[in-house]
């Protein structure tokens, strides 16, 4: 970080230094507004688009009526008697002054007063607080996090009106100075984990959080490339984040990101979703068991099917109807791998398809890839059925990263089974179990650790 000097009582020196550091003349959105206050020269600095025009007009109007006799001797007395606004602070260091200006607050320099008046009458462009597309619930609230961190903290405070709820604001990134809010219940959080987390965030030395929460997560805990299981839980629902806070967990929110990062996290926390909290206990347990069984089947269905097709004599008579009866033009392993890639291709195409074309393109894709791919001999109908189940079952997982982690486990199981038969299948199962059991969270606990909070 560059070294900045302190503000003086000379308006000329202060404005010259601001113009030297900030591109006031070159950048149209950084505005300098000069005026007279109580017979003294003064200058406002703010970023156009971040300031509430109505609030600034009222503040300027009240200051223009100040006479020279009304001007107090100290800056503190002036802020108390002549600035009709709630959030006002006096800063001396230009490092803090520049950070506040670029964050959207208004800076006021008055000749004769040492320091700078910071008036927080900013407003950020933000979308409406709608229900998230991913984390939907059949019952419960219909609001969700947005890209403005102040709105997100307000949604949390609205649900937890407890003085023990602490929201500590920190900045990360030398160029961006991204706001990071660490939220926790002071009487319920693990103090050692909190201390470790705050120390890690304060020691981050990075130019910018380019990918917001993902960049912060990689700084907090280095990911092992060969283990795809997620280290953190993410949610876009304020009610889910509030429940996690009350359970003693820590919620991290990053400005410009519409989701919250929750830790510590085990695999049991990741598979939870909002509906588990709103339904009766029996229904919630049933839904959890159903998701667990479906997740198990998404990993092992196609590898087990491939193993039985390689060893037909192992197939019980009860399940002989699932055996491939048609002529196999393409080896089964290649059919499965091609379909795995095709499903991801369709998913990416759906994300980038305009809404007005999504329906006709879906019909065309279903006819071409479904009907004609089987009739032309590329794929067997049994393989298509199995992969259709797997592709749909992936969406039962509330966590996007966990869904892809299970997909990668399924792929390595398929490849090892095709290469080494039953020995490859056993080896693949050991890899899956080891990837889960030996995966460590930020606290150093196992991925299967259950929190006592």
């Amino acid at each position: 970080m560059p070294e900045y000097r302190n503000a003086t009582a000379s308006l000329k020196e202060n404005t010259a230094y601001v113009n030297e550091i900030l591109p006031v003349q070159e950048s149209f959105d950084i505005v300098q507004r000069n005026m007279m206050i109580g017979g003294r020269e003064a200058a406002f600095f703010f970023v156009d688009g971040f300031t509430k025009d109505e609030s600034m007009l009222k503040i300027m109007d009240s200051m223009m009526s100040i006479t020279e006799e009304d001007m107090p001797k100290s800056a503190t007395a002036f802020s108390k008697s002549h600035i009709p606004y709630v959030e006002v602070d006096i800063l001396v260091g230009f490092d803090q002054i520049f950070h506040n200006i670029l964050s959207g607050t208004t800076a006021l320099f008055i000749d004769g007063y040492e320091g700078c008046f910071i008036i927080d009458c900013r407003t950020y462009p933000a979308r409406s607080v709608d229900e998230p597309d991913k984390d939907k619930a059949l019952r419960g609230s219909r609001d969700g996090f947005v890209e403005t961190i102040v709105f997100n903290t307000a949604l949390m405070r609205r649900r937890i009106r407890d003085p023990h709820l602490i929201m500590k604001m920190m900045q990360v990134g030398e160029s961006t100075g991204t706001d990071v809010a660490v939220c926790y219940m002071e009487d319920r959080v693990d103090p050692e984990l909190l201390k470790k987390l705050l120390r890690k965030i304060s020691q981050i030395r990075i130019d910018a959080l380019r990918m917001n929460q993902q960049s912060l997560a990689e700084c907090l805990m280095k990911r092992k490339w060969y283990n795809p299981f997620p280290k953190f839980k993410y949610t876009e629902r304020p009610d889910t984040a509030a429940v996690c806070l009350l359970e003693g967990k820590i919620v991290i929110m990053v400005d410009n990101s519409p989701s919250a990062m929750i830790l510590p996290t085990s695999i049991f926390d990741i598979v939870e979703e909002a509906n588990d909290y709103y339904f009766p206990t029996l229904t919630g347990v049933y839904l959890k068991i159903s998701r667990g069984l479906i997740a198990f089947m998404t990993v092992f269905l196609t590898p087990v099917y491939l193993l039985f097709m390689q060893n037909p004599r192992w197939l019980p008579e009860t399940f002989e109807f699932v055996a491939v009866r048609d002529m196999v033009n393409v080896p089964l392993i290649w059919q499965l791998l091609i379909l795995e890639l095709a499903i991801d291709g369709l998913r990416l195409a759906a994300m980038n398809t305009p809404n007005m074309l999504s329906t006709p393109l879906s019909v065309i894709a279903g006819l071409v890839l479904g009907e004609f791919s089987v009739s032309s001999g590329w794929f067997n109908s049994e393989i298509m059925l199995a992969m259709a189940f797997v592709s749909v079952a992936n969406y039962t997982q509330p966590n996007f990263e966990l869904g892809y982690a299970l997909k990668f486990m399924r792929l390595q199981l398929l490849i090892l089974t095709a290469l080494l038969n039953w020995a490859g299948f056993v080896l693949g199962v050991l890899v899956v179990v080891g990837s889960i059991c030996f995966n460590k969270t930020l606290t150093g606990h196992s991925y299967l650790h259950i929190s006592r909070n």
Side-chain angles (χ1 to χ4, degrees):
M1 290 290 292
E3 293 292 334
Y4 296 111
R5 63 178 180 85
N6 292 335
T8 65
S10 172
L11 176 67
K12 185 177 180 180
E13 292 181 3
N14 292 334
T15 55
Y17 190 66
V18 172
N19 279 270
E20 178 184 344
I21 302 299
L22 298 181
V24 179
Q25 305 300 325
E26 292 81 7
S27 185
F28 79 94
D29 61 334
I30 302 179
V31 181
Q32 176 181 348
R33 173 71 165 85
N34 298 320
M35 63 180 297
M36 297 294 295
I37 300 177
R40 302 187 187 184
E41 294 183 352
F44 287 91
F45 290 92
F46 56 90
V47 176
D48 189 17
F50 283 167
T51 301
K52 298 177 183 177
D53 294 339
E54 296 81 4
S55 300
M56 282 304 302
L57 285 173
K58 293 179 180 179
I59 293 173
M60 290 182 176
D61 183 62
S62 65
M63 289 185 178
M64 292 182 69
S65 62
I66 301 174
T67 63
E68 189 172 352
E69 292 77 16
D70 295 334
M71 295 293 289
K73 294 182 179 180
S74 67
T76 304
F78 180 86
S79 67
K80 292 180 178 180
S81 59
H82 294 301
I83 301 181
Y85 203 73
V86 178
E87 298 177 77
V88 180
D89 198 3
I90 301 175
L91 301 179
V92 177
F94 266 107
D95 53 345
Q96 295 178 314
I97 294 172
F98 290 143
H99 176 76
N100 276 271
I101 293 175
L102 296 175
S103 297
T105 59
T106 300
L108 170 62
F109 294 94
I110 300 178
D111 192 32
Y113 290 148
E114 184 175 354
C116 174
F117 300 95
I118 299 297
I119 306 171
D120 193 354
C121 57
R122 56 185 163 180
T123 179
Y124 288 134
R127 59 184 173 89
S128 60
V129 184
D130 297 325
E131 184 180 16
D133 292 332
K134 183 67 173 67
D135 294 342
K136 288 187 176 182
L138 298 178
R139 296 168 58 187
S141 61
R142 292 290 185 266
D143 56 353
F145 289 130
V146 295
E147 286 76 11
T148 306
I149 192 171
V150 178
F151 290 2
N152 295 339
T153 55
L155 290 172
M156 301 286 292
R157 183 70 68 177
R158 181 184 178 188
R159 285 169 167 80
I160 305 178
R161 301 171 184 178
D162 192 314
H164 294 101
L165 176 58
I166 307 296
M167 298 185 180
K168 190 179 294 293
M169 188 70 74
M170 308 176 74
Q171 282 77 39
V172 178
E174 296 184 3
S175 296
T176 57
T178 305
D179 291 327
V180 176
V182 180
C183 310
Y184 57 93
M185 297 294 292
E186 191 177 21
D187 59 336
R188 307 185 187 193
V189 72
D190 182 357
E192 293 298 325
L193 172 62
L194 177 63
K195 183 179 179 181
K196 179 180 180 181
L197 177 64
L198 294 177
R199 184 179 69 252
K200 278 181 171 289
I201 295 177
S202 62
Q203 292 176 351
I204 293 176
R205 296 294 178 265
I206 190 173
D207 181 64
L209 294 180
R210 294 179 175 86
M211 293 291 108
N212 296 329
Q213 282 182 334
Q214 183 60 31
S215 299
L216 179 63
E218 292 177 357
C219 293
L220 292 176
M221 191 171 188
K222 299 298 183 183
R223 182 189 295 272
K224 297 178 180 178
W225 64 269
Y226 52 83
N227 195 329
F229 285 94
K231 303 288 188 181
F232 303 94
K233 178 180 179 178
Y234 298 93
T235 181
E236 296 185 28
R237 297 187 61 89
D239 50 0
T240 302
V243 169
C244 292
L245 282 175
L246 295 173
E247 292 175 350
K249 300 184 184 298
I250 300 175
V251 174
I252 302 177
M253 290 182 286
V254 181
D255 197 20
N256 299 312
S257 178
S259 61
M261 185 165 58
I262 300 170
L263 55 94
T265 300
S266 67
I267 192 170
F268 303 105
D269 298 316
I270 292 178
V271 298
E272 285 183 338
E273 64 174 6
N275 288 316
D276 298 339
Y277 297 101
Y278 286 110
F279 288 119
T281 304
L282 183 61
T283 307
V285 171
Y286 169 75
L287 291 176
K288 290 181 181 179
I289 294 175
S290 299
R291 284 200 304 273
L293 291 176
I294 292 173
F296 180 84
M297 292 181 66
T298 57
V299 176
F300 292 101
L301 178 64
T302 52
V304 169
Y305 187 80
L306 177 63
L307 180 65
F308 279 122
M309 292 304 100
Q310 290 179 335
N311 304 273
R313 63 185 183 279
W314 295 356
L315 190 64
E317 294 183 1
T318 309
F319 296 99
E320 285 186 354
F321 67 93
V322 301
V324 176
R325 304 296 183 185
D326 302 331
M327 182 178 63
V328 179
N329 297 318
V330 179
L332 295 182
I333 179 61
W334 287 109
Q335 292 187 38
L336 292 168
L337 294 179
I338 292 173
L339 285 174
E340 290 278 4
L341 182 62
I343 290 171
D344 279 334
L346 290 175
R347 183 181 299 179
L348 294 174
M351 292 174 58
N352 297 294
T353 302
N355 292 333
M356 64 182 68
L357 299 177
S358 59
T359 301
L361 288 181
S362 298
V363 174
I364 295 174
L367 289 175
V368 173
L369 298 181
E371 179 71 23
F372 298 126
S373 59
V374 173
S375 60
S376 62
W378 273 86
F379 302 106
N380 295 95
S381 56
E382 294 84 1
I383 297 296
M384 291 288 290
L385 177 61
M387 287 306 303
F389 169 81
V390 169
S391 62
V392 174
N394 275 333
Y395 290 102
T396 62
Q397 294 301 324
N399 188 282
F400 190 79
E401 291 181 312
L402 180 61
Y404 266 100
L406 297 178
K407 178 186 180 70
F408 296 143
M409 293 297 103
R410 182 171 66 251
L411 287 175
Q412 63 90 16
L413 261 173
L414 286 171
I415 294 174
L416 289 175
T417 303
L419 294 177
L420 304 176
N421 206 332
W422 66 269
F425 181 81
V426 173
L427 179 60
V429 172
L430 294 177
V431 171
V432 174
V433 175
S435 299
I436 297 176
C437 294
F438 295 103
N439 194 17
K440 298 293 184 181
T441 62
L442 186 65
T443 58
H445 292 112
S446 169
Y447 209 45
L448 301 175
H449 175 75
I450 301 177
S451 177
R452 295 182 181 180
N453 293 317

